[in-house]
Amino acid sequence: MAENKRRGEDAGDERLPEDAVVDPAADDATSEDEPVSRGGTATRERARAESTEGRKTRKDTERIGLFARIARFFREVVAELRKVIWPTRKELLTYTAVVVTFVAVMLTIVAGLDYGFAKAVLWVFGNPS
């Protein structure tokens, strides 16, 4: 223990014996099935899979009918809408009040600037009446 303190390490630091065999694969949280991405290098299998995914032949797109594509679209829309976190009634009223107030303030600013610029233009160029 005195040896650990001399090295500046914590006393609770556990060390493995020197003759212990350490399996580096056991430390990884990923399994062998999952590809590990470390800095943008890709494996050959991954590159092949991505290149074949992007290629769709005309026969692949013609197999799916119009109504099947429309049905798939609506199924995906419903699936996405289920993921949405809908606001409560109180939150909705609060958000609506904030938006209406902001629009009213901006409308007032723009109307004031418009009136001021109109008066300035008439003053500079004179009133034709």
Side-chain angles (χ1 to χ4, degrees):
M1 189 155 158
E3 186 176 313
N4 283 343
K5 287 184 180 178
R6 238 183 299 140
R7 292 183 187 161
E9 297 175 0
D10 292 337
D13 189 20
E14 296 180 17
R15 296 207 172 248
L16 292 175
E18 290 182 20
D19 58 342
V21 178
V22 178
D23 184 16
D27 289 340
D28 290 342
T30 60
S31 66
E32 291 179 14
D33 300 349
E34 293 182 27
V36 178
S37 174
R38 300 196 193 256
T41 58
T43 62
R44 290 183 189 159
E45 291 82 18
R46 187 177 197 182
R48 265 190 251 131
E50 288 176 356
S51 66
T52 57
E53 278 180 16
R55 280 189 274 160
K56 295 260 183 190
T57 61
R58 182 169 236 181
K59 292 179 184 177
D60 290 342
T61 57
E62 288 178 350
R63 289 183 196 163
I64 301 173
L66 175 66
F67 292 110
R69 285 186 279 165
I70 292 172
R72 179 180 173 195
F73 171 75
F74 282 112
R75 277 195 311 268
E76 290 179 4
V77 166
V78 169
E80 288 297 321
L81 286 175
R82 286 185 181 157
K83 295 177 187 177
V84 173
I85 299 173
W86 296 97
T88 63
R89 185 174 186 87
K90 184 179 178 183
E91 290 172 338
L92 186 65
L93 291 174
T94 302
Y95 297 155
T96 303
V98 167
V99 169
V100 168
T101 304
F102 177 76
V103 169
V105 168
M106 292 306 294
L107 183 126
T108 305
I109 291 171
V110 170
L113 288 173
D114 181 48
Y115 181 77
F117 284 128
K119 287 293 185 180
V121 166
L122 288 176
W123 180 75
V124 168
F125 295 109
N127 195 354
S129 315

